[in-house]
Amino acid sequence: MTVKENIDLSTLPTLKESYDLTKEQVESYQEKGHILLRNVATQDEIDIFEPIISNRVKELNYHDKPVEERDTYGKAFIQIGRLWEQSEAIARFVLAKRFAKIAAELMGVDGVRIYHDQALYKEPHGGHTPWHQDQIYWPLDTDKTITMWIPLVPISEEVGSMTFASESHKAGYISKVVISDESHRTLEQYVKGKGLQTVTYGAMAAGDATFHAGWTLHNAPGNPTDTMRKVMTVIYYADGTRVAEPDSNARRGDLQAWLPGLKAGDLAQTPINPLLYKKGE
């Protein structure tokens, strides 16, 4: 599945070592729908993987217009998925047991599979990411989904991390509107109307990570600096999840892309959704 490169995999960190969570951290995540964890990957580990990921993102960048000439979605970031399928070295990072174990423990499940990865690189002077829920795209019949958002470079206070609407995940499916100016207006009104607390974690070091539930409302500011905001994301779901009936074009597209060959009611398991962590193994 992955492509071999001229990289000695034996020199790469294994990322198998456990990152221990406290009971309070798990409870906070489950109540709020988001959490910041410091030093999920060490600086030495990031120093090795960042250039490998960044080089692949540069090769695959599809944008052919300046930032200012794109629509809101295009201004938000360079978005590249399937990186782990194209690189054995990147697979070492994306499929890491350490990250998957955190995801499983935060959700309170025994095992997790990968839905997909995504590099989200916000270019210098790139635009904001509108309010949205990730799971409107995912044909997964569960609320046990989670995204890890891990910077590969320091994120300054000026650039900032994402903004989350605490406890919004408890409402489930709020709106089918995909990421757009419309989703930003609609969901911003929802957040204010419900009186939801919004939280941003501000500056983050490379290797810190946020985790948020698939239904958690969130957005991100633009990048006012002259440097690239380099972030890698991995989406996980509970092992044993079944495919939901795709009720939108977005979900039909995702079903084809990330759960190929499956239909509603099938177990969400394909060769590109390997089991990354199982409790006790």
Side-chain angles (χ1 to χ4, degrees):
M1 185 66 66
T2 53
V3 176
K4 290 185 178 180
E5 304 150 291
N6 189 26
I7 296 174
D8 183 356
L9 297 181
S10 68
T11 66
L12 298 180
T14 64
L15 301 175
K16 290 181 180 179
E17 301 87 355
S18 181
Y19 183 99
D20 295 329
L21 296 172
T22 66
K23 179 184 176 184
E24 290 73 24
Q25 286 173 322
V26 173
E27 290 175 348
S28 178
Y29 168 80
Q30 293 181 358
E31 175 65 19
K32 296 177 181 178
H34 57 85
I35 194 169
L36 167 66
L37 299 175
R38 299 292 187 186
N39 204 35
V40 167
T42 67
Q43 186 63 59
D44 287 345
E45 290 166 343
I46 293 294
D47 286 345
I48 291 170
F49 286 107
E50 182 275 319
I52 299 171
I53 295 170
S54 293
N55 286 339
R56 189 54 61 102
V57 169
K58 185 176 180 180
E59 289 172 11
L60 298 174
N61 181 14
Y62 51 88
H63 285 303
D64 57 4
K65 293 180 180 179
V67 170
E68 60 272 13
E69 294 180 17
R70 304 177 203 157
D71 62 12
T72 299
Y73 194 95
K75 289 176 181 176
F77 34 58
I78 301 169
Q79 181 180 29
I80 307 291
R82 311 195 95 102
L83 290 175
W84 80 264
E85 297 177 62
Q86 303 175 50
S87 161
E88 284 189 313
I90 296 176
R92 175 71 62 85
F93 187 85
V94 169
L95 307 184
K97 184 176 181 180
R98 181 193 304 164
F99 306 152
K101 179 174 179 283
I102 293 171
E105 291 181 347
L106 288 175
M107 291 192 290
V109 301
D110 288 340
V112 294
R113 292 180 179 271
I114 182 174
Y115 185 52
H116 66 82
D117 65 1
Q118 259 182 349
L120 297 176
Y121 279 37
K122 195 176 288 285
E123 296 158 282
H125 308 288
H128 75 120
T129 307
W131 280 107
H132 65 283
Q133 291 177 295
D134 293 340
Q135 200 161 332
I136 66 163
Y137 293 92
W138 308 340
L140 295 169
D141 190 15
T142 182
D143 62 356
K144 300 297 185 184
T145 61
I146 193 169
T147 297
M148 178 182 72
W149 191 93
I150 184 166
L152 305 176
V153 294
I155 304 294
S156 68
E157 191 79 34
E158 188 180 14
V159 176
S161 57
M162 291 184 289
T163 298
F164 301 100
S166 293
E167 301 187 41
S168 56
H169 65 302
K170 296 177 182 178
Y173 216 143
I174 295 170
S175 171
K176 292 182 181 180
V177 180
V178 296
I179 301 175
S180 60
D181 292 331
E182 183 183 355
S183 78
H184 195 71
R185 286 192 300 269
T186 302
L187 295 173
E188 187 171 51
Q189 290 173 359
Y190 178 90
V191 170
K192 290 178 179 178
K194 294 292 185 181
L196 297 176
Q197 180 187 21
T198 57
V199 175
T200 181
Y201 293 109
M204 294 173 65
D208 290 346
T210 60
F211 288 78
H212 66 272
W215 289 125
T216 299
L217 284 167
H218 60 286
N219 68 27
N223 179 3
T225 73
D226 294 326
T227 58
M228 184 82 78
R229 188 211 72 179
K230 301 178 180 181
V231 168
M232 193 65 192
T233 66
V234 184
I235 302 160
Y236 308 88
Y237 61 90
D239 184 34
T241 293
R242 293 191 179 273
V243 177
E245 185 68 45
D247 54 0
S248 65
N249 287 334
R251 285 186 161 187
R252 282 186 281 273
D254 255 37
L255 177 60
Q256 201 170 33
W258 309 117
L259 299 165
L262 301 186
K263 62 184 184 304
D266 290 343
L267 278 173
Q269 298 178 14
T270 81
I272 61 170
N273 312 111
L275 183 67
L276 302 187
Y277 169 77
K278 191 75 172 179
K279 189 175 181 179
E281 294 181 5

